[in-house]
Amino acid sequence: MSADRARSALVASLVRDGRVRTPAVRAALETVPRHLFLPALDPGGAYADVAVPIKVDDGVTVSSVSQPSMVAIMLEQLEAGPGHRVLEIGAGAGWNAALLAELVGPDGAVTTLDIDDDLVAGARANLDAAGFDGVDVVVGDGALGYPPAAPYDRIELTVGSTGVRPEWVAQLAPGGRLLLPLTVRGSQLSVAFAHTAPGRLHSRSVRSCAFVRLRGEGADPGAEVALPDGRWRVQPACGSDDADVPDPRALARATTGAGTDRPVAAAGTVADLWDGLGLWCAVADPGVVRLFGPAGGGVAPALFDLGGVRATLGLVAGDGCAVLLADPEATVRACGPDGDLAAERLAGLVAGWVDAGRPHAADLRIEAVVPSLAGPGGGAERGSGVDRAGPGDVVVDGAGTRLTLRWGPATG
């Protein structure tokens, strides 16, 4: 298959599946030759709907060319248009920067940066080969943005961050848009924020996503820990500096498979571990964790299959825990002296999710306030939010920005 035919087939599938909604994004994807940014692949590989790693350090992917369907979703979220000044953080191979340049046209400007010299050199060469020599490609730490070309009408991160950094908000023009893969209680979400007032952002759309993490000053190793046997890992919903973070070692009891089972209001899925039910539970209760382990032995056969790894959602309470089972469906297993308490809480969270209409990432609303930029009285006090989901808000602090999470329709 030729490159042109492969590109046309890819775009047609993205339109059919609802990833591409606007003529501008469709035209950009039809115009920019992705295969020139992945010269080692044949057209079939270059236009497959998969992410392609382009740099690996110590066995860990640190840069990739993003999956086309995710790129399309984020371009629709960003709403970049003619004349916009755009900053992209995470140059990769340069393909997304070329798409942005196509969207903003000759009257706009695109700056893309990356922390590694070799990635910047590669992106520059690819952009030149594809005829996009007007894109400014620079080396820099994305956590700091790029002040020389600010302010920007649009800022897009193609790497994941655990917070909204004040530097990005300070470099965003009034009424501009910040789009980033943001980790919220252990789930990575593509959040499009509108800059509504000094130091204040409101989400306009939220989607599930999965990106490599930001490196440099904004790097965060995460709070994931290994259980004593070394075979199981635990990812708390809260950060390691959160006063409410549970002791994940209590989950060691669950890995043996012993415990008491009870039914809950809904069955879970692999996707629910991060979106839907999993996101709802993690936002609502700081005792929520995600558990990962080997495919065989103990509780593993009863958990969710995640590409050869077993995983589940759990909750720690005191000296006990509860985990959601894939088999039997709609079942929670209580383990340890306080297991019944943990199971009661987890069952209540599942019931609350069902009663709320089974919301997913797209139903989450996020307000971000940078107190240092908002001025006197611009940010709410930490105690003004409540610590559980439901009728109130959940407040999360990090990276110099305060996030307020709530479920329900957008407030504009």
Side-chain angles (χ1 to χ4, degrees):
M1 181 182 294
S2 69
D4 288 345
R5 288 184 61 189
R7 184 163 63 254
S8 295
L10 170 64
V11 176
S13 69
L14 296 178
V15 172
R16 182 188 65 240
D17 295 341
R19 311 302 190 190
V20 172
R21 303 192 313 274
T22 60
V25 170
R26 178 172 185 166
L29 288 165
E30 289 175 333
T31 301
V32 177
R34 190 176 191 248
H35 65 282
L36 295 184
F37 296 86
L38 293 166
L41 300 183
D42 60 26
Y47 290 101
D49 191 23
V50 296
V52 180
I54 58 173
K55 184 169 183 176
V56 179
D57 284 345
D58 295 327
V60 177
T61 298
V62 296
S63 183
S64 64
V65 178
S66 299
Q67 184 178 8
S69 55
M70 193 68 237
V71 169
I73 289 169
M74 293 182 73
L75 290 177
E76 296 286 6
Q77 287 184 283
L78 188 64
E79 297 184 1
H84 281 161
R85 298 176 61 83
V86 182
L87 172 65
E88 180 194 29
I89 297 173
W95 179 53
N96 194 66
L99 293 167
L100 293 170
E102 193 69 22
L103 288 168
V104 303
D107 295 328
V110 176
T111 300
T112 185
L113 66 79
D114 211 290
I115 198 168
D116 291 335
D117 292 351
D118 57 340
L119 290 173
V120 167
R124 176 71 277 158
N126 292 338
L127 286 160
D128 288 346
F132 290 90
D133 54 2
V135 175
D136 191 15
V137 190
V138 297
V139 177
D141 187 337
L144 308 179
Y146 189 65
Y152 303 99
D153 301 294
R154 299 289 187 268
I155 297 176
E156 179 183 7
L157 276 73
T158 56
V159 287
S161 175
T162 55
V164 177
R165 294 186 63 88
E167 293 91 337
W168 304 331
V169 181
Q171 294 171 37
L172 191 62
R177 185 162 293 202
L178 169 65
L179 173 66
L180 76 161
L182 178 66
T183 298
V184 176
R185 290 290 174 91
S187 294
Q188 198 179 77
L189 307 173
S190 177
V191 184
F193 284 108
H195 193 195
T196 57
R200 189 176 291 273
L201 306 170
H202 288 266
S203 66
R204 290 293 182 256
S205 64
V206 180
R207 301 289 184 267
S208 296
C209 67
F211 281 81
V212 299
R213 289 179 176 178
L214 190 70
R215 292 179 289 147
E217 188 169 321
D220 187 319
E224 186 174 288
V225 297
L227 293 184
D229 70 356
R231 302 170 68 238
W232 291 86
R233 297 173 294 117
V234 179
Q235 181 191 76
C238 296
S240 57
D241 58 347
D242 194 303
D244 293 322
V245 68
D247 182 355
R249 290 173 296 182
L251 273 172
R253 300 179 185 278
T255 63
T256 66
T260 303
D261 292 353
R262 59 177 292 173
V264 290
T269 66
V270 171
D272 275 331
L273 299 185
W274 288 271
D275 196 3
L277 175 60
L279 181 59
W280 171 274
C281 292
V283 168
D285 195 316
V288 168
V289 298
R290 294 170 177 91
L291 179 68
F292 308 88
V299 74
L303 305 186
F304 299 90
D305 187 1
L306 189 65
V309 173
R310 294 291 174 164
T312 193
L313 192 72
L315 191 146
V316 175
D319 192 23
C321 66
V323 293
L324 182 67
L325 302 184
D327 183 22
E329 292 185 343
T331 301
V332 161
R333 179 165 295 168
C335 308
D338 295 320
D340 287 341
L341 173 61
E344 184 72 23
R345 279 168 54 182
L346 187 53
L349 292 172
V350 176
W353 179 65
V354 172
D355 290 345
R358 302 172 186 252
H360 284 66
D363 303 302
L364 187 64
R365 309 298 172 217
I366 307 174
E367 178 184 354
V369 177
V370 183
S372 63
L373 299 175
E381 293 301 320
R382 179 65 177 89
S384 65
V386 297
D387 293 327
R388 299 291 183 269
D393 299 338
V394 174
V395 179
V396 179
D397 290 317
T401 300
R402 177 161 299 147
L403 303 179
T404 302
L405 316 176
R406 64 177 63 91
W407 297 94
T411 56

